[in-house]
Amino acid sequence: MPNSAPASASLRVVVADDSAFMRRMLCDALTAQGIEVVGEAADGDGALRECERACPDVMSLDLTMPGLDGIGVLKALRERRSPVAVVVVSAFSPAHGAHAVDALAEGAVELVPKPTGAALAAGFFGELYDKMCLAAISRRPRTLLPAPAATMPTPRPTPALPRAAGPARYVVIACSTGGPKALASLIPALPPDLGDGTVIVQHMPPGFTASLATRLDNASGLRVTEAQGGERLTPRMALVAPGGRHLHLHEGGRVTLGDEPEIGGLRPRADITIRDAARVFGERMVLVVLTGMGKDGLEGAREVRNAGGRILVEAEATCTVYGMPRAVAEAGLADIQLPLHELPAAIATEAA
């Protein structure tokens, strides 16, 4: 659990799931860990009523429910400007994977795949507890920057910041909690031929990153796809590191995938990809660190700095969780720190 997580006794939670068995299991497990379960719901309409009645900090939300589904609940919460943070707890299949990525883009803070069979183990409940605490942190009041005047994608953003002349650069984007929503805003606003190629490392479970890539591809001028290994980066391509595998970069922009152990519980680990990029591309490297819990990207950023590359981080005011960018900024490694809606132009300028 993150060190900055609030005490469990301070968390008030609503559990929404159409399965009475799953609701009972979740409620019992959360209560055993000191979390106060203040409401239950078997469908989307009930989930909204319980949120309005009980004013919870966090809701555990199944996506497939009768009547109003999970996506509908998230949209309604956004329209009502509800402060309730949402952790999606849902079954996974390729179809459900796309649905889960849509939920993250609609404002869900985190995702926990439902356990099945023998997977009904303490690991699931530990992950759920951690992400409940993380979700609560993400909703703490902050001073926010004003929203951008326009949110439509810009094919070629106006250069925002000058940089030294030289060959086009490779871009590596690292993110975690809140990343799918941030990427949904950032990637469509980038030009369709960005530098010499782009890699995205988003912390997600295996099976979900393909859906994330498809969603971004459908909205973007860049061709976004989940890496399979063996590709070579090109200006019109953005590769997403697959959940459950590390992404390595080699001379000429060649990509391979690795099954080395998790590092700090993460696979893919952004530090691995960033270090490779710094070694291979040197000063032709642009690192972008977006919202996320933890410090993944910090060690890689040190390598980028030593190699002469450039480092951009998302400003606190637009981060869901100001963890990964903060680690880089507080280490004095960030060249530029900008709110999310100003980053596309800056990235395009740096990579050109």
Side-chain angles (χ1 to χ4, degrees):
M1 184 180 68
N3 292 333
S4 55
S8 59
S10 69
L11 288 185
R12 294 163 48 83
V13 171
V14 162
V15 173
D17 197 294
D18 63 340
S19 164
F21 169 74
M22 182 60 69
R23 289 199 307 275
R24 186 76 271 129
M25 185 177 68
L26 293 174
C27 290
D28 289 348
L30 292 171
T31 300
Q33 295 181 82
I35 290 176
E36 183 183 3
V37 178
V38 295
E40 300 179 39
D43 55 40
D45 292 317
L48 291 175
R49 286 195 299 271
E50 286 301 294
C51 285
E52 189 166 336
R53 178 193 66 79
C55 301
D57 302 301
V58 185
M59 175 165 59
S60 162
L61 179 67
D62 186 19
L63 293 181
T64 306
M65 296 185 292
L68 189 68
D69 66 5
I71 299 293
V73 170
L74 286 163
K75 290 180 177 178
L77 290 174
R78 188 181 68 245
E79 290 169 0
R80 299 177 184 186
R81 299 180 181 275
S82 171
V84 178
V86 175
V87 174
V88 169
V89 181
S90 195
F92 173 70
S93 70
H96 285 128
H99 210 37
V101 171
D102 288 343
L104 291 169
E106 288 290 347
V109 176
E110 270 289 5
L111 169 70
V112 184
K114 272 186 180 177
T116 56
L120 292 172
F124 164 75
F125 297 113
E127 181 182 7
L128 178 62
Y129 174 85
D130 288 350
K131 290 185 175 180
M132 287 280 187
C133 294
L134 181 60
I137 291 171
S138 76
R139 289 299 187 264
R140 286 177 176 171
R142 293 179 294 171
T143 301
L144 297 179
L145 294 175
T151 57
M152 292 297 291
T154 52
R156 289 185 177 274
T158 302
L161 296 163
R163 75 164 181 87
R169 289 170 165 170
Y170 293 86
V171 177
V172 176
I173 300 171
C175 46
S176 185
T177 308
K181 184 177 181 181
L183 291 169
S185 172
L186 177 74
I187 302 301
L190 293 171
D193 52 349
L194 183 64
D196 269 346
T198 302
V199 171
I200 300 166
V201 182
Q202 162 69 52
H203 300 154
M204 294 186 82
F208 289 87
T209 41
S211 297
L212 173 65
T214 298
R215 194 180 203 280
L216 294 173
D217 183 64
N218 290 338
S220 306
L222 280 169
R223 179 172 176 265
V224 185
T225 185
E226 183 185 55
Q228 301 299 309
E231 301 95 338
R232 287 187 182 273
L233 297 179
T234 68
R236 299 186 66 84
M237 173 188 291
L239 289 178
V240 178
R245 306 195 74 186
H246 296 301
L247 188 147
H248 295 278
L249 291 167
H250 307 272
E251 295 294 337
R254 184 172 63 89
V255 173
T256 61
L257 303 177
D259 296 315
E260 306 95 318
E262 295 179 350
I263 298 176
L266 299 174
R267 189 169 62 188
R269 178 85 182 188
D271 277 325
I272 288 178
T273 304
I274 298 164
R275 285 170 174 167
D276 283 351
R279 174 180 54 81
V280 174
F281 306 133
E283 64 182 10
R284 294 183 62 196
M285 158 88 185
V286 177
L287 171 62
V288 182
V289 182
L290 303 178
T291 176
M293 176 60 79
K295 297 183 178 181
D296 190 21
L298 174 59
E299 293 308 312
R302 296 188 198 280
E303 299 293 331
V304 174
R305 170 54 60 85
N306 291 338
R310 297 279 286 173
I311 303 172
L312 287 66
V313 302
E314 182 180 355
E316 180 179 8
T318 58
C319 284
T320 299
V321 176
Y322 187 54
M324 290 166 57
R326 180 178 198 157
V328 174
E330 291 188 348
L333 300 172
D335 295 296
I336 300 169
Q337 187 166 202
L338 291 171
L340 183 63
H341 55 274
E342 293 182 20
L343 277 172
I347 294 169
T349 299
E350 292 291 331

